[in-house]
Amino acid sequence: LRLQYKDYTHWQQQPGTVADIERQENFWLEQLSGTLPRLQLPLDFPRPSVMSFTGATHHVEIDEKTTRELKEVARENGATLYMVLLSAYYMWLSRLTGQDDIIVGTVAQGRRLTHWQSIIGFFINTMAIRHYPEGTKTLDVFLEEIKTGTLSAFQNQEYPFDRLVEKLGVSREHGHNPVFDVLFTLQNMDVP
């Protein structure tokens, strides 16, 4: 390969990249300013006092007909399938918890620039995306907010999540992650 991971790390140290990362820091600090909401999910057992990493993953497979319909909603709104499903996820969390200020974690591939696409290495970064799914918003209105917010977040995906947690100065609580309580990922690939 013409470029290798060491070229990526060198690029990270360049003055233009450093300035861009500082701009991204300002974006994330603004997005997560104020009191960070703690998602009040209904639990069937008390939250442990010491954080353990036991938990569950809920996999959902969507049938072909529903997938076509969701893709049509995305196309009609100039959005992606990811954005449509993320909108539904926020709305479901809001109904489940009664909260209208929710932060959801998601991951970015960290290869926004095309010349990093073929490099071998781990570029993934976590992002904490905050939205306000008030019950009075229609799906179209909320989807437009998700679309704008998601595009902005992914344009700022290189800012390291661990550095963001440090900058926010959030207190670490046992039994909670520092910024968000749920994570959303979409794996839209065929798996035999």
Side-chain angles (χ1 to χ4, degrees), residues 67 83 105 112 123 136 141:
T67 300
M83 293 171 186
R112 185 169 51 102
F123 292 73
T136 57
V141 169

Side-chain angles (χ1 to χ4, degrees), residues 16-108:
T17 305
V18 171
D20 188 45
I21 296 296
E22 288 174 4
R23 183 195 54 75
Q24 290 184 33
E25 177 182 286
N26 292 333
F27 169 83
W28 288 111
L29 291 176
E30 182 180 318
Q31 293 297 306
L32 299 171
S33 64
T35 303
L36 298 179
R38 182 68 64 208
L39 199 57
Q40 301 300 319
L41 292 169
L43 303 173
D44 58 355
F45 56 88
R47 190 175 288 279
S49 60
V50 176
M51 184 152 117
S52 73
F53 291 93
T54 58
T57 300
H58 187 72
H59 295 272
V60 176
E61 288 188 30
I62 301 172
D63 63 63
E64 199 172 317
K65 178 182 179 283
T66 305
T67 300
R68 273 195 312 275
E69 292 169 348
L70 288 167
K71 285 180 177 178
E72 181 62 23
V73 170
R75 189 191 61 70
E76 289 171 355
N77 288 280
T80 64
L81 180 60
Y82 174 87
M83 293 171 186
V84 171
L85 294 172
L86 184 60
S87 298
Y89 189 58
Y90 270 101
M91 294 173 98
W92 175 73
L93 288 170
S94 180
R95 286 201 178 135
L96 185 65
T97 64
Q99 294 173 253
D100 59 9
D101 181 2
I102 298 173
I103 300 174
V104 171
T106 194
V107 292

